[in-house]
Amino acid sequence: MSTIRTTCPYCGVGCGVTVEDGVPRGDRGHPSNFGRLCSKGAALKDALDLPDRLQHPTIDGRAASWDEALDRIAAEFTRIRTAHGPDAIGFYVSGQFLTEDYYVANKLMKGFVGAGNIDTNSRLCMSSTVAGHVRAFGEDVVPGCYEDLEEADLVVLVGSNMAWCHPVLYQRLMAAREKRGTQVITIDPRRTATADMADLHLPLAPGGDVMLFNGLLVHLVDAGKVDRDWVGEHVAGFDEAVAAARQTAGSVELVGAATDLDPTDVLRFYDSFARTERVMTLYSQGVNQAANGADKVNAILNCHLATARIGRAGMGPFSLTGQPNAMGGREVGGLANQLAAHMGFEPESVDRVGRFWNAPQVARTPGHKAVDLFEAAADGRLKAIWIAATNPAVSMPRADLVRDALRACPLVIVSDAWPTDTTALADIVLPAAGWAEKDGTVTNSERRISRQRRFRAPPGEARPDWWMFAEVGRRMGWREAFAFETPAAIFREHAALTAFENDGRRRLDLGALATLDDAAYDALDPVQWPCPKTGQGGSGPRLFSRGRFPTDDGRARMLPLAIRADTKLAGYPLILNTGRVRDQWHTMTRTGRIAHLMTHSPGPRLALHPRDAMLRGIVDGGLARVSSAQGHISLRVEIDAGLRQGQVFAPMHWTDQFASSGPTDRLVHALTDPVSGQPDLKGTPVQVSALSETWRGVLLRRRDGQLSLGDDRLWSKAPIAAGFRYELTGVAALQSLIDSEQTLRRLLHIDAAAELVSYADPKKAVFRYAGLVDGRLDACVFFAAPQATFPEADAACALLGQPLDAVKRLGLLAGLEAGPQASGNIVCACMSVGEARIRQAIRAHGLTSTAEIGALLGAGTQCGSCLPELKKMLALNVIETGVQA
């Protein structure tokens, strides 16, 4: 039995995966995960045969051959470049790309089209870290490695719900904590599952990170914790940084007032950091996705540089990357303000890259960053845009403006594996090979390069992304520059470029891998850079322990950081924070189609603080309208005491395909960090008002299909075993929906030949309808008053697609719970264990620990992201029964 080793296509942890007989499992030999996978990774087998794959190129909605599509793109690019200049063409790509995809796309745009206009959705998640690294270190380098989690004595998590977003790493941290008593402090405006497991949670006011870490720097100086010798030899800007910090955050009381934190808790954090040598500070989107994200990063780096807590075992700043190859994209120049191989647009780098590529017209200036790129498409500066492996019609700020921009742009090309909100707006759609069908490499958060290996053939005519870009380059006349035949050839060129005229000036040096033949490339084991045998020194897992920063003088830079005033907008008193939920990924192209991944969070919810809800007359489970200066959506509300008052939270995943509200990012403003260009996805001013719900319903259908119910009727969709389940709600009278048989048939997605049966009790406001095709239940819908629950709908899920005899038909219409009972929301997605089953087991067997739950049910034994919920259920059982753990 052959085993193929590859990597998971989700977050930046870079988990290894083995595939045996076509079934993906965690790779026990991979140094990132040692066999563990999160709930999404554990469901990879369920994502292999999802429906609706794009299999053939189309032009203006009609089928086309690859030759016709590629010739059309090449001809249009050539015409536009001649008539309007290279800046009239843009690419928007993705951290879902493999490094080889990224390399060819970047080479085509910057090297030969001759513009800097290639940017990536990593701009939305990691570009503030890139800017912070470059300002402090001289290069975008993460100093540490995952092993530091096992060796740290204090781990500070800033703006990271690690338990949900990087659960495999979180379990490594929790295991280390169990073994060595590692202290964990979380800094986050929300009390998340991660904060629930911490020793101290600092729920600081949004945007208060710079103030908090400026205060920490002052405290470290005053406590005598600065390593003066190390700073004197290896750091520049220390005095200026400390002076600025002292001016803005000179006392714990001042910091507490500015961040809305208890000064006692602030001092506890400061003292813990000061007295602990082995400190890791891990940060993610709560730091990056802000209008001052780069300053937040540098505020953290300042504290580690001042104390020499960098590049040694168990200590250092560590950026938790969002996407599987966000790091690889940064290495090859996937951001518009980079050139290639960690080189920028300074003249000597432009000359060097141009000579290496033999590209005399190489771009000499940065291109449009993501927000600017779509603004350029909207106002006519961009005449053509190629979007690959991402869905900006959902994920970009001001999503409605992005959609308008794509409608206005003369030529829109989208390459993807599935139909998305963005492919619907494209002139040319190209079918891309998916995760299981591509060969190449990815780089994870600790600079570890791993091979992604193909183990399935692409469906239809789907092709790798690198091949598409190379073909266009050839057809535009640059055949020799894009004569790649294999991913191995691309990787060799990329590795050679990192070493070209490097001389130790850049830490990214893959020269040792530039001579790999195809067989060695195929067999490549996971490897961290800088790679061994490069002669650079510092080729181990950690960098900068002895300085040697890639700056002109070899010294790192500490930055003086000012405090920026909050952005206020009259009429919008609340702040919208957007982010991820546990079992979903980006715009749900894959995860939204997997039934058990939709059960933990079956629909979009607006989380609201209890007092904010009370002031607006909103109840838990009620409806609310959320408005910003950019647009509005309506969502069901979830009261969450873990939020700060004045802040609301909504997930970023749901799209027009899954909910009537559409993308949350249609609300998000376009404010960006002036240094990094990263959008402020955590700080949009909004207002929230109650919506009066008049009825509620559940629709079950065997077949998929969009609902067009009007603005007064809201819905969200989730797949189930035999079809799809829709949550319905109305803010206008139900009567117009049920009075027309034609409307009901359209809702049930049945034709005139199907049998329509009904039950009505107007006094109780209960109405039930079912559509039967050849005696089998094809669809059913249940309506009731607001706040109703639908146990009969849960039971009907088991009947969908089944023949109904007279007894089952009567039971369905009478609302009897004729089928097996639902297990409640899935708590452990890895093992498909539901809430009801866990609660029953806790009581029936007297379980008092998560280990006992795991031994009996398996819950919590895989990625561990459900452990915080399991602990809450155990605590609730103690309250309800009085049985102490």
Side-chain angles (χ1 to χ4, degrees), residues 692-760:
S692 179
E693 187 176 12
T694 56
W695 55 268
R696 188 174 293 187
V698 172
L699 167 67
L700 306 176
R701 297 198 316 199
R702 292 184 66 191
R703 289 168 290 166
D704 197 2
Q706 293 296 97
L707 295 184
S708 299
L709 300 179
D711 292 340
D712 294 333
R713 297 160 186 161
L714 312 177
W715 59 269
S716 64
K717 178 184 75 175
I720 55 176
F724 299 88
R725 176 179 176 134
Y726 298 77
E727 289 186 9
L728 309 175
T729 189
V731 294
L734 175 64
Q735 207 62 37
S736 62
L737 184 60
I738 63 176
D739 274 352
S740 165
E741 180 177 328
Q742 183 179 2
T743 302
L744 282 168
R745 287 182 178 274
R746 190 163 54 245
L747 178 67
L748 293 169
H749 210 10
I750 58 173
D751 59 26
E755 182 183 2
L756 178 65
V757 294
S758 63
Y759 168 90

Side-chain angles (χ1 to χ4, degrees), residues 746-810:
R746 190 163 54 245
L747 178 67
L748 293 169
H749 210 10
I750 58 173
D751 59 26
E755 182 183 2
L756 178 65
V757 294
S758 63
Y759 168 90
D761 187 343
K763 289 186 177 181
K764 294 183 179 179
V766 172
F767 302 87
R768 303 186 182 101
Y769 303 89
L772 285 77
V773 176
D774 298 328
R776 294 176 180 270
L777 181 63
D778 200 67
C780 56
V781 63
F782 305 89
F783 297 113
Q787 306 303 318
T789 58
F790 295 90
E792 67 272 33
D794 294 334
C797 288
L799 301 177
L800 204 60
Q802 300 299 314
L804 295 190
D805 58 25
V807 173
K808 288 182 178 178
R809 180 182 299 199
L810 177 63

Side-chain angles (χ1 to χ4, degrees), residues 513-822:
L513 306 177
T515 57
L516 294 177
D517 61 22
D518 287 8
Y521 172 81
D522 188 56
L524 183 66
D525 286 326
V527 58
Q528 279 180 296
W529 61 259
C531 299
K533 300 179 183 179
T534 61
Q536 303 290 316
S539 60
R542 303 178 185 91
L543 295 171
F544 307 146
S545 62
R546 292 176 288 175
R548 301 180 183 176
F549 294 95
T551 57
D552 290 340
D553 59 4
R555 293 152 66 94
R557 303 288 188 267
M558 288 177 61
L559 271 64
L561 301 171
I563 307 299
R564 300 183 193 173
D566 291 340
T567 301
K568 301 291 185 182
L569 196 58
Y572 298 95
L574 303 175
I575 296 297
L576 170 65
N577 175 6
T578 66
R580 299 179 181 182
V581 297
R582 192 188 75 185
D583 296 338
Q584 292 305 319
W585 178 253
H586 283 201
T587 61
M588 303 169 66
T589 309
R590 287 172 295 199
T591 53
R593 289 174 164 84
I594 299 173
H596 73 271
L597 291 182
M598 291 291 286
T599 55
H600 183 257
S601 301
R605 298 290 187 267
L606 178 74
L608 199 61
H609 186 274
R611 181 164 176 79
D612 287 327
M614 181 190 68
L615 291 173
R616 291 160 177 80
I618 300 173
V619 298
D620 192 33
L623 294 179
R625 181 184 177 97
V626 191
S627 304
S628 74
Q630 290 67 235
H632 63 83
I633 61 176
S634 298
L635 294 170
R636 197 166 294 287
V637 169
E638 183 176 82
I639 305 300
D640 183 358
L643 280 172
R644 290 177 50 85
Q645 189 175 346
Q647 187 180 45
V648 300
F649 176 84
M652 52 80 71
H653 310 286
W654 271 262
T655 76
D656 293 311
Q657 297 183 32
F658 291 95
S660 57
S661 60
T664 300
D665 279 339
R666 65 172 20 123
L667 300 174
V668 174
H669 60 193
L671 188 65
T672 60
D673 182 288
V675 180
S676 70
Q678 180 151 357
D680 180 31
L681 299 174
K682 305 285 188 187
T684 301
V686 297
Q687 57 175 300
V688 176
S689 56
L691 282 177
S692 179
E693 187 176 12
T694 56
W695 55 268
R696 188 174 293 187
V698 172
L699 167 67
L700 306 176
R701 297 198 316 199
R702 292 184 66 191
R703 289 168 290 166
D704 197 2
Q706 293 296 97
L707 295 184
S708 299
L709 300 179
D711 292 340
D712 294 333
R713 297 160 186 161
L714 312 177
W715 59 269
S716 64
K717 178 184 75 175
I720 55 176
F724 299 88
R725 176 179 176 134
Y726 298 77
E727 289 186 9
L728 309 175
T729 189
V731 294
L734 175 64
Q735 207 62 37
S736 62
L737 184 60
I738 63 176
D739 274 352
S740 165
E741 180 177 328
Q742 183 179 2
T743 302
L744 282 168
R745 287 182 178 274
R746 190 163 54 245
L747 178 67
L748 293 169
H749 210 10
I750 58 173
D751 59 26
E755 182 183 2
L756 178 65
V757 294
S758 63
Y759 168 90
D761 187 343
K763 289 186 177 181
K764 294 183 179 179
V766 172
F767 302 87
R768 303 186 182 101
Y769 303 89
L772 285 77
V773 176
D774 298 328
R776 294 176 180 270
L777 181 63
D778 200 67
C780 56
V781 63
F782 305 89
F783 297 113
Q787 306 303 318
T789 58
F790 295 90
E792 67 272 33
D794 294 334
C797 288
L799 301 177
L800 204 60
Q802 300 299 314
L804 295 190
D805 58 25
V807 173
K808 288 182 178 178
R809 180 182 299 199
L810 177 63
L812 176 70
L813 293 178
L816 302 178
E817 299 175 20
Q821 298 304 296

Side-chain angles (χ1 to χ4, degrees), residues 345-572:
F345 285 92
E346 60 278 358
E348 60 271 24
S349 291
V350 171
D351 174 70
R352 182 181 302 115
V353 174
R355 285 186 288 108
F356 182 88
W357 280 341
N358 192 23
Q361 300 186 74
V362 66
R364 284 165 168 73
T365 58
H368 294 302
K369 297 170 185 174
V371 170
D372 300 330
L373 188 70
F374 288 98
E375 288 180 348
D379 64 23
R381 285 173 290 157
L382 217 62
K383 308 299 181 184
I385 186 169
W386 188 343
I387 299 165
T390 187
N391 191 12
V394 173
S395 58
M396 281 290 296
R398 300 181 301 179
D400 288 337
L401 182 144
V402 170
R403 296 175 184 208
D404 290 341
L406 296 179
R407 294 185 186 102
C409 188
L411 177 61
V412 176
I413 305 147
V414 180
S415 44
D416 211 316
W418 285 276
T420 68
D421 308 72
T422 305
T423 61
L425 300 167
D427 302 295
I428 299 176
V429 177
L430 305 176
W435 161 72
E437 304 142 14
K438 296 175 69 172
D439 262 310
T441 56
V442 294
T443 309
N444 71 359
S445 294
E446 63 168 352
R447 313 183 320 274
R448 188 179 299 278
I449 299 169
S450 295
R451 283 279 281 112
Q452 184 168 306
R453 295 178 173 90
R454 166 177 163 169
F455 61 92
R456 287 164 66 100
E461 297 180 90
R463 296 290 185 271
D465 293 276
W466 69 261
W467 178 87
M468 303 179 204
F469 287 99
E471 279 293 322
V472 169
R474 293 170 185 166
R475 291 163 198 246
M476 290 182 73
W478 304 304
R479 183 164 297 275
E480 185 176 345
F482 295 95
F484 302 115
E485 296 294 335
T486 64
I490 303 168
F491 183 82
R492 283 191 289 268
E493 183 173 306
H494 157 55
L497 178 54
T498 67
F500 182 60
E501 298 179 356
N502 192 332
D503 302 323
R505 297 172 61 185
R506 302 183 305 278
R507 292 296 178 265
L508 174 62
D509 187 338
L510 309 182
L513 306 177
T515 57
L516 294 177
D517 61 22
D518 287 8
Y521 172 81
D522 188 56
L524 183 66
D525 286 326
V527 58
Q528 279 180 296
W529 61 259
C531 299
K533 300 179 183 179
T534 61
Q536 303 290 316
S539 60
R542 303 178 185 91
L543 295 171
F544 307 146
S545 62
R546 292 176 288 175
R548 301 180 183 176
F549 294 95
T551 57
D552 290 340
D553 59 4
R555 293 152 66 94
R557 303 288 188 267
M558 288 177 61
L559 271 64
L561 301 171
I563 307 299
R564 300 183 193 173
D566 291 340
T567 301
K568 301 291 185 182
L569 196 58
Y572 298 95

